[in-house]
Amino acid sequence: MNEYSVLLYYCYSRIEDPEEFREQHHLRCLELGLKGRIIIAEEGLNGTVSGLAADCETYMQEVKDDPRFSDIEFKVDTAPEHTFEKLHVRVKPEIVHASLPNIDPRKKTGGYVEPEEFREILRAQPEDTVILDVRSNYEHNIGKFKNAITLDIENFRDFPEKVKELEHLKNKKVITYCTGGIKCEKASAYLLDQGFEDVHQLHGGIIKYGIEAEGEDFEGKCYVFDNRIVKDLNQVNPKVISKCFVTGKPSDRMVNCANPHCNKHIPMSEEGAEIYNGCCSEECSKNPEVRPYDGSGYYQKEMNGYNPYKGLKRKTTTA
């Protein structure tokens, strides 16, 4: 039974004192028993957390009750347990690292395309329209929309440099997409800033599309940033597009190489993992510090004395 909820959300809204807000927000998340990653900046709030369904309902209502986040939209999934091991609430310069501090989506960003409209566009594939994936390689390698243009980037902060390769699309209608929508707010704004005139974005990203449009024509699985790593999305015409790094056979099972010095994040089938005992190559398998392969390909970092209250100025103790 799925008693837990997984929330994915963001909101671009001015936070005058991010450090003070972080302090209060961190403490409230602890009181509600939430785990996950939350980023706070002067430009807004970005998070993905898990918790008991009732506690997540309380959290969502309290965030929405704050006038700064009244129009925030939560993408809600279910899970049988927590999808995170820890809670981290941090202040950073941007709520998504884009190296575009001067781009303000509150002032200019691409218009929204709702999931059902996007589904129709995917079906029709009009010649004057291109679908642009603004995610990183390891994300779109495991799953992407049919006929989408992908970029060879390791991190979203590399996106501005890659825009130079898209000059030939300036006369097209460009629709960007990402996991939950946050990257597209800045990506579409930057494209407009660079002279692209007809720029739009999939509202709510892949996750909202999966909820409202059954994920149709999303090929592969959706990469998510929690312990699940990937999740099924397409309920209409699913297919596997990624291949096992070792065997070359179709596989959408994402793992890390058992060699901690490599730690390559790749698709690897159970068959492929058996060949080098969880490693991506024979060379890696011979490293004396190879981690024991338990069949999962997931290597949880040690807690190293993790204290959920670390960073709080108020030395609060657990109730």
Side-chain angles (χ1 to χ4, degrees):
M1 183 176 178
N2 290 342
E3 297 180 350
Y4 286 76
S5 292
V6 185
L7 310 180
L8 180 65
Y9 58 95
Y10 72 89
C11 186
Y12 282 98
S13 181
R14 180 74 176 175
I15 298 177
E16 293 294 337
D17 190 337
E19 286 290 351
E20 180 181 2
F21 179 79
R22 190 213 73 83
E23 173 87 1
Q24 297 168 351
H25 204 76
H26 186 171
L27 183 59
R28 187 55 180 145
C29 287
L30 289 174
E31 292 171 347
L32 290 170
L34 303 184
K35 296 180 181 180
R37 291 188 289 268
I38 300 172
I39 299 174
I40 295 160
E42 288 185 359
E43 67 179 11
L45 172 69
N46 173 24
T48 177
V49 299
S50 64
L52 288 169
D55 294 326
C56 285
E57 286 292 336
T58 299
Y59 176 77
M60 288 189 285
Q61 190 58 56
E62 290 182 0
V63 173
K64 289 179 179 179
D65 286 343
D66 187 322
R68 293 172 292 186
F69 314 121
S70 59
D71 60 350
I72 195 170
E73 183 174 316
F74 289 91
K75 275 75 73 177
V76 184
D77 201 356
T78 59
E81 59 187 359
H82 267 297
T83 58
F84 292 94
E85 299 290 332
K86 308 175 183 179
L87 172 69
H88 291 294
V89 187
R90 296 186 172 104
V91 171
K92 294 190 176 183
E94 298 175 275
I95 57 175
V96 60
H97 189 6
S99 299
L100 295 171
N102 298 321
I103 295 292
D104 186 351
R106 293 169 297 175
K107 296 178 180 178
K108 179 174 65 174
T109 192
Y112 289 145
V113 174
E114 297 302 326
E116 281 298 339
E117 181 186 356
F118 190 74
R119 191 207 301 241
E120 294 304 315
I121 291 171
L122 288 173
R123 286 173 175 171
Q125 287 291 314
E127 292 184 3
D128 65 341
T129 301
V130 295
I131 311 299
L132 178 63
D133 191 322
V134 302
R135 300 173 303 152
S136 303
N137 291 334
Y138 62 90
E139 297 174 82
H140 62 67
N141 283 342
I142 202 75
K144 66 181 184 66
F145 282 110
K146 180 179 69 175
N147 297 328
I149 293 174
T150 58
L151 302 173
D152 182 13
I153 56 177
E154 294 300 320
N155 297 284
F156 183 56
R157 61 177 175 268
D158 301 326
F159 174 77
E161 186 66 24
K162 284 293 178 178
V163 170
K164 297 174 183 177
E165 300 176 6
L166 305 175
E167 288 288 320
H168 62 291
L169 301 178
K170 281 192 172 181
N171 64 336
K172 301 276 190 178
K173 177 178 181 178
V174 179
I175 305 176
T176 66
Y177 73 85
C178 58
T179 306
I182 186 171
K183 292 178 180 178
C184 287
E185 298 282 4
K186 284 202 170 183
S188 62
Y190 184 70
L191 289 171
L192 289 168
D193 187 67
Q194 295 300 300
F196 291 75
E197 297 182 0
D198 196 2
V199 181
H200 305 262
Q201 56 182 307
L202 174 59
H203 187 200
I206 300 166
I207 299 299
K208 183 179 174 74
Y209 185 82
I211 295 169
E212 297 186 9
E214 302 178 290
E216 185 173 0
D217 286 328
F218 185 84
E219 301 175 334
K221 289 188 177 180
C222 179
Y223 191 96
V224 291
F225 295 89
D226 57 48
N227 290 355
R228 295 172 297 173
I229 305 178
V230 296
K231 72 181 280 5
D232 290 318
L233 191 91
N234 192 329
Q235 303 169 48
V236 180
N237 53 354
K239 64 184 293 188
V240 178
I241 65 168
S242 49
K243 295 180 179 181
C244 173
F245 188 85
V246 176
T247 68
K249 297 178 181 179
S251 175
D252 53 17
R253 178 176 177 267
M254 287 293 287
V255 305
N256 287 84
C257 175
N259 176 5
H261 300 286
C262 171
N263 206 42
K264 192 173 290 180
H265 196 42
I266 49 175
M268 188 187 297
S269 64
E270 293 182 4
E271 176 189 358
E274 290 177 0
I275 294 174
Y276 298 122
N277 201 24
C279 291
C280 69
S281 65
E282 183 178 4
E283 181 181 0
C284 278
S285 69
K286 294 179 179 178
N287 188 288
E289 296 182 33
V290 164
R291 297 170 286 203
Y293 175 64
D294 64 1
S296 71
Y298 178 71
Y299 305 94
Q300 176 67 43
K301 292 181 180 179
E302 294 182 8
M303 295 299 242
N304 292 328
Y306 166 71
N307 175 3
Y309 287 86
K310 185 178 181 180
L312 282 172
K313 296 174 184 176
R314 294 190 289 271
K315 299 300 182 182
T316 310
T317 57
T318 53

